[in-house]
C-alpha cells in the first residue's frame, strides 16, 4: 500500500491467497485509497461467490487458475484502457467545471473560440503542433495552454526563440554539447530537447532557424534521439514539440529558406491564431482586462474606458495585435487623470488613426478607371486591412497565394 501512495500504477494484479492479507482485502484497500487504479484478482476458486466478493470489494475483473497468458494479457489491456479512460473523463470534467478549457486566451469571439476548442482537442495527443499567426497574437500563450491541458502538464515546459540565439550556438542549445566540444565547453551540458524530457519544448520563430540546424532537427525528430555537439553517443528523449512562426513557411520553402521535409514533419497539427482585427467584440473585453491589471499594479483608480476612447479602440486596426493593445492600455493607465480612459490618454497612433476608403469610381466620367485599376486598388485595400498578411488577404480575395503573388508582381507591389 505504501508503493500505491508514492507511485502511480496503471493496474494492480494480485493473487487471492496471500500471507497476511488476501486478494479480496487488498481490493478493498486499493478501492479506498486509490479508486482510480483497477485491480485484477487471480484465484483458483472460479466459483460465483468468489467472483461476486472480488467485484464487491472493488476489483475490475478476476482470472481463474490455471492462468493462460493470453487471457491475462487481454484482461490487463482492458484494465489499463479503463484506467486511462477514467483519467481522461476526470480531466475533461475539470476543464468543463473551470468554464473554459483555455482561459489563457481571453475572448469570446467566434474566431478565438474555435482556436480554444482546437487547442483543447489537440492537447490530448502527443503529435507535433505548428502554431502560426502574426506577431503579437499570443502564440506562446497558446503553446503553454497546450502543455497545461496535456498529459505532460507535470513535466517541464521549455521555450527557445530561434531568432534570438546566434547560429553558432543554436545546435548547442537544442542538442547539448560534450565537454571540450568547443572553446567555452568546460563541462558537458544537456540540450533543451533532453532537459524537457517528459514535457514540452516550444520552438518559437522556427522559420528563422538556419538551414544547417533545420537538417539536424529533422533527423532528431524522425529518430527521437539526439547526439550532443562533440559527443560520441546518441541520447533518446521523450519531449513533445510545439513550434510557432509568423512567417509563411510555404513561401519560405519556395524561396529555399526552409526545408520542405521539415515543414511536413512539424505541420502535423496546425493551429492558426487570428489577428486581433478579426476578433470582433474581443477588443474592449481584452482592454478592460488589461486596464484592471495595470490599475492594480500602479494603484490608480482607473475603472473603465470612456465611450469616445472605446470608439477609437474599436476603429483601430491593431497591426501589433494583442501585444500592441497591452502596450496601448498600459500607456493609457499611466496617463489617465480620471476614473475612465479618455481619447487624450491613448497613444497618438490610435488617436490619429483614420480608416482609409478607396474610391474606385466617382460621378465624374474623368474619374472612371479600367477594371484592372479597380482590382489593383481593391487588392491594396485588402492587404492594408490584413496588415500585409498575404495568406489572409488571399483568403479574403478568393485567390490562392501564387495568384496573389503574380498579381502583386504585375502591379509592382512589393
Amino acid at each position: 500500500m505504501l508503493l500505491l501512495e508514492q507511485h502511480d500504477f496503471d493496474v494492480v494484479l494480485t493473487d487471492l491467497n496471500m500471507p497476511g492479507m488476501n486478494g479480496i482485502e487488498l481490493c478493498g484497500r486499493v478501492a479506498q485509497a486509490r479508486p482510480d487504479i483497477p485491480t485484477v484478482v487471480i484465484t483458483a476458486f472460479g466459483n460465483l461467490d468468489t467472483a461476486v466478493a472480488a467485484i464487491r470489494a472493488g476489483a475490475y475483473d478476476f482470472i481463474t487458475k490455471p492462468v493462460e497468458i493470453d487471457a491475462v494479457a487481454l484482461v490487463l489491456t482492458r484494465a489499463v484502457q479503463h484506467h486511462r479512460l477514467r483519467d481522461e473523463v476526470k480531466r475533461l470534467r475539470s476543464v468543463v467545471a473551470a468554464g473554459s478549457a483555455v482561459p489563457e486566451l481571453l475572448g469570446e469571439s467566434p474566431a478565438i473560440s474555435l482556436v480554444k476548442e482546437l487547442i483543447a482537442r489537440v492537447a490530448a495527443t502527443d503529435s507535433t503542433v505548428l502554431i502560426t499567426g502574426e506577431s503579437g497574437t499570443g502564440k506562446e500563450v497558446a503553446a503553454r495552454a497546450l502543455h497545461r491541458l496535456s498529459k505532460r502538464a507535470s513535466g517541464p515546459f521549455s521555450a527557445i526563440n530561434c531568432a534570438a540565439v546566434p547560429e553558432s550556438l543554436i545546435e548547442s542549445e537544442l542538442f547539448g554539447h560534450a565537454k571540450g566540444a568547443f572553446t567555452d565547453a568546460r563541462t558537458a551540458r544537456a540540450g533543451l530537447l533532453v532537459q524537457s524530457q517528459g514535457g514540452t519544448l516550444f520552438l518559437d520563430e522556427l522559420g528563422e532557424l538556419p538551414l544547417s540546424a533545420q537538417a539536424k532537427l529533422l533527423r532528431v525528430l524522425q529518430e527521437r534521439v539526439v547526439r550532443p555537439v562533440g559527443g560520441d553517443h546518441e541520447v533518446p528523449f521523450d519531449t513533445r514539440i510545439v513550434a510557432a512562426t509568423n512567417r509563411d513557411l510555404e513561401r519560405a520553402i519556395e524561396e529555399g529558406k526552409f526545408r520542405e521535409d521539415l515543414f511536413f514533419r512539424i505541420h502535423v497539427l496546425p493551429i492558426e491564431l487570428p489577428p486581433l482585427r478579426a476578433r470582433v467584440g474581443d477588443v474592449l473585453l481584452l482592454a478592460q482586462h488589461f486596464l484592471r491589471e495595470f490599475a492594480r499594479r500602479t494603484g490608480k483608480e482607473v475603472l473603465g474606458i470612456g465611450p469616445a476612447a472605446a470608439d477609437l479602440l474599436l476603429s483601430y486596426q491593431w497591426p501589433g495585435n494583442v501585444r500592441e493593445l497591452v502596450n496601448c492600455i498600459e500607456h493609457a493607465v499611466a496617463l489617465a487623470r480620471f476614473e475612465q480612459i479618455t481619447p487624450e490618454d491613448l497613444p497618438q497612433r490610435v488617436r490619429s488613426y483614420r480608416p482609409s476608403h478607396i474610391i474606385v469610381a466617382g460621378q465624374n466620367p474623368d474619374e472612371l478607371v479600367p477594371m484592372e485599376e479597380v482590382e489593383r486598388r481593391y487588392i491594396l485595400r485588402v492587404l492594408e486591412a490584413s496588415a500585409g498578411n498575404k495568406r489572409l488577404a488571399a483568403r479574403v480575395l478568393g485567390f490562392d497565394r501564387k495568384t496573389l503573388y503574380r498579381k502583386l508582381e504585375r502591379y509592382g507591389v512589393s
Side-chain angles (χ1 to χ4, degrees):
M1 292 303 299
L2 182 61
L3 287 175
L4 285 173
E5 295 173 0
Q6 296 177 343
H7 303 281
D8 193 21
F9 297 93
D10 289 323
V11 63
V12 172
L13 179 63
T14 178
D15 202 334
L16 179 65
N17 295 318
M18 299 183 297
M21 179 189 305
N22 65 38
I24 302 296
E25 293 173 349
L26 178 61
C27 283
R29 296 279 295 275
V30 172
Q32 184 176 6
R34 293 293 304 273
D36 57 311
I37 301 179
T39 305
V40 177
V41 178
I42 299 176
T43 175
F45 308 97
N47 57 53
L48 184 60
D49 291 340
T50 303
V52 170
I55 299 301
R56 283 179 175 173
Y60 171 78
D61 205 344
F62 71 98
I63 302 172
T64 58
K65 296 179 182 178
V67 174
E68 296 182 6
I69 297 301
D70 290 343
V72 173
L74 179 60
V75 171
L76 292 182
T77 298
R78 289 175 177 172
V80 170
Q81 291 174 344
H82 175 77
H83 172 55
R84 292 177 179 171
L85 181 59
R86 287 186 60 173
D87 281 350
E88 180 66 8
V89 171
K90 183 179 178 181
R91 184 185 67 82
L92 291 175
R93 281 177 179 167
S94 66
V95 166
V96 172
S100 172
V102 194
E104 296 93 332
L105 289 175
L106 298 173
E108 300 173 352
S109 65
I112 201 65
S113 296
L114 287 174
V115 170
K116 291 196 280 189
E117 179 185 347
L118 182 58
I119 287 174
R121 291 166 56 194
V122 165
T125 74
D126 260 345
S127 300
T128 303
V129 177
L130 177 63
I131 304 174
T132 58
E134 297 176 10
S135 178
T137 50
K139 293 186 286 294
E140 183 167 349
V141 174
R144 290 184 180 276
L146 272 170
H147 174 71
R148 180 184 61 78
L149 291 171
S150 74
K151 60 186 178 183
R152 296 174 176 269
S154 59
F157 178 91
S158 305
I160 180 173
N161 187 327
C162 298
V165 181
E167 184 174 352
S168 58
L169 296 178
I170 190 70
E171 291 182 27
S172 174
E173 287 293 314
L174 289 175
F175 312 138
H177 61 254
K179 180 180 179 181
F182 45 86
T183 304
D184 294 329
R186 297 183 178 86
T187 59
R189 178 178 176 273
L192 288 174
L193 283 163
V194 175
Q195 290 181 33
S196 307
Q197 187 85 355
T200 303
L201 175 59
F202 177 54
L203 302 175
D204 197 10
E205 302 296 348
L206 182 71
E208 308 303 322
L209 196 66
L211 281 169
S212 59
Q214 290 180 29
K216 294 178 180 178
L217 178 61
L218 173 64
R219 181 183 178 278
V220 163
L221 296 182
Q222 289 174 335
E223 304 296 332
R224 307 304 292 182
V225 293
V226 59
R227 184 190 295 272
V229 177
D232 298 324
H233 304 288
E234 293 183 328
V235 180
F237 66 92
D238 176 26
T239 301
R240 185 184 194 178
I241 304 298
V242 177
T245 182
N246 59 10
R247 292 187 63 183
D248 184 344
L249 292 186
E250 293 177 72
R251 177 70 169 177
I253 291 170
E254 294 173 1
E255 296 172 348
K257 297 178 181 178
F258 199 84
R259 294 180 62 102
E260 185 176 29
D261 45 9
L262 178 58
F263 172 76
F264 287 116
R265 173 60 61 176
I266 62 171
H267 196 260
V268 179
L269 293 172
I271 297 176
E272 184 173 1
L273 293 183
L276 185 55
R277 61 186 171 277
R279 298 170 55 182
V280 179
D282 284 346
V283 171
L284 293 184
L285 184 151
L286 289 165
Q288 186 64 36
H289 171 79
F290 299 139
L291 183 148
R292 285 196 299 266
E293 179 64 22
F294 289 121
R296 182 187 61 80
R297 290 185 194 178
T298 59
K300 297 186 70 171
E301 290 292 328
V302 184
L303 305 179
I305 301 169
D311 284 341
L312 291 174
L313 294 178
L314 290 173
S315 63
Y316 188 63
Q317 287 296 297
W318 303 107
N321 294 295
V322 179
R323 185 181 296 128
E324 184 181 8
L325 178 59
V326 171
N327 294 338
C328 170
I329 299 303
E330 183 177 10
H331 178 281
V333 171
L335 298 184
R337 295 167 294 172
F338 309 105
E339 289 186 346
Q340 288 194 325
I341 297 295
T342 66
E344 291 72 25
D345 301 325
L346 299 174
Q348 176 63 31
R349 65 182 180 279
V350 178
R351 297 201 311 268
S352 60
Y353 177 78
R354 295 293 181 274
S356 61
H357 297 282
I358 297 175
I359 299 175
V360 297
Q363 297 297 322
N364 188 339
D366 294 336
E367 295 177 354
L368 299 177
V369 296
M371 181 60 69
E372 187 174 69
E373 176 63 14
V374 173
E375 182 184 66
R376 185 188 75 84
R377 294 186 187 185
Y378 183 61
I379 288 175
L380 291 177
R381 177 71 186 92
V382 172
L383 275 173
E384 179 189 0
S386 305
N389 185 327
K390 295 184 179 66
R391 180 191 294 271
L392 180 61
R395 186 184 306 164
V396 172
L397 291 164
F399 298 155
D400 57 40
R401 289 183 306 105
K402 290 183 179 179
T403 301
L404 177 59
Y405 289 134
R406 283 199 306 271
K407 289 182 179 292
L408 292 177
E409 289 174 3
R410 187 172 75 201
Y411 296 143
V413 179
S414 61

